[in-house]
Amino acid sequence: MVTRDRRNAALRLAVGACLLMSGCRGSSDPADTVFVGGPIVTLTDAGVVDGLAVRGDRIVAAGSEADVRRLVGAETRVVDLGGRSLLPGLADNHLHSVGGGPGVDLSRVRTLEELLDAIARTAATTPPGQVVVTNSDWHEGQLAEQRLPYRDELDQAASAHPLVVVRGGHEYILNSAALRYWSIDESTPEVSGGRIGRYADGRLNGELVDRAKEYVELPPAPRSDRDAAKDALVEQYTTLNRRGLTSVRHPGGSPEQLDLIRELEAEGRLTMRVDFLLRAPRSGSAEELRAVLAQWPEPPSPEQMRARPASQMVRVDGVKLGVDGGFEGGLMREPYEEPWGEDGTFHGLQTVPRDAFVETVRVLHGAGWRVATHAVGDAAIDLVLDGYEAADEEAPIEGERWVIEHGFIPRDDHFPRMRALGLAVSAQDHLYLAAPSLVEYWGAERAAWTTPLRAYLEAGIPVSLGTDAPVVPYDPWWVLHHFTTRGTISAGVLDDAQSVSREEALRAMTAGYAWLTFSEDQRGVLAPGMVADLIVTDGSFRDCPDPCLETMVVDLTMVGGRIVHER
Ligand SMILES: [Zn+2]
């Protein structure tokens, strides 16, 4: 009996393994693609190997060149790496979109003058009185002057049009016509969770931060039909494939956006694995949340998430919340540096009342949802931990991999609390872009501590990496460059002690992401049975001299065995 049981168990294992491989062909069947002759960074115990074979959507062998040459048949494509690196496909843990849009493009301006010229050019071809809006994917850190343009300057570029300069996800700057258009003046009341900026003499400078943005209702984006929206998504994912991305997590969208991506998957046009967070209502109202929950799909349990077939490209992963502002509104225990600190009284912006946040988390937890919350400053992390701990008291969340998004300024006392709850931190390279502003807002010490990857790793907190595009441009190589050097675009190196090795950064951007999305049995490392999500880089990932990663060229990107980019 014992023997038969054992044999059955062995058989079940064999069948399981066979199902894991593509189809049930024998292990000696030829591979579809075989890579030889290069350093292949597996991120497994096998380390760096010379050969890798792909059949169907899976890796079927990773080892010596001789091992994989055995799998070469008449139809097999053999790719000689010739010393180029082969790595697991990159994954961005927090990507809204590639950026761009129908507004004024400021992504490439490098001075205030160029910025104002770009606006003036658009205004010149827009009927007077019509609202002019800029795209959001730029930051003053890219400008020689390293500061925002304000109302008076904007009036020089456009005086006959209400103008809204959108900067990232947390801030608008308005010209005088726009302030008039939305009836905002010196007597307009401050909103809690928001800030209305002023010049030193008390006049409005046009700045509206976080919830103060609610005074402005932007004109709806030109309606594109469903097909055009889908084509734009295909183009977006192709752009990202070219830089080596094979998975992205969209941090907060609507069920309608999810449907569009699912349609692409059904049509076989999707070249990216997409993990999707639904966005809870920003109001923080539990009633509104319950109404929305009724419209949403059922939340997947951790077991269901783990059991999803690898062929399923689009996955719902949880719900996105937020508690504080961004660069200019991260919620801190200690006040901002002067003059932003307003005589030691400004600590950043809490965008939702404490009770509303705790209740929102409780409702989501009760409904079975995993929560991921935007928290930039240390006081915001306090609030998130308080909310998560309250939920955890009702029913443990450990094992559900709840998330803190961004986590710029953790304190040492946060780490044990994060570990006790089994949290993951979803980190991005904001510092690379915004370093000069962060020094100005928070002082050199806090700015240098921003997103301390080394500290997170040493504290044993699971971390993944990404960009927050379009707040920071989408290039994943800027991420790898930044976290391995702590280099920034225009402020030099900030706290080199927080830099990590190339392998650590790569691991966070691949295996760390897989853990974040309950897909570590399928993605993130290169081993037999894992999906064939991989990239070939032009330069040597392990050996090229800094700052080579920043501009690394990707020669080939494969998603599930399918080549989606090759140059
Ligand atoms: Zn974001």
Side-chain angles (χ1 to χ4, degrees), residues 94 96 251 320 374 406 468 471:
H94 191 118
H96 299 271
K320 166 85 184 301
H374 164 118
H406 314 315
D468 201 4
V471 176

Side-chain angles (χ1 to χ4, degrees), residues 53-64:
V54 173
R55 188 191 301 127
D57 67 341
R58 301 304 170 108
I59 295 166
V60 290
S64 70

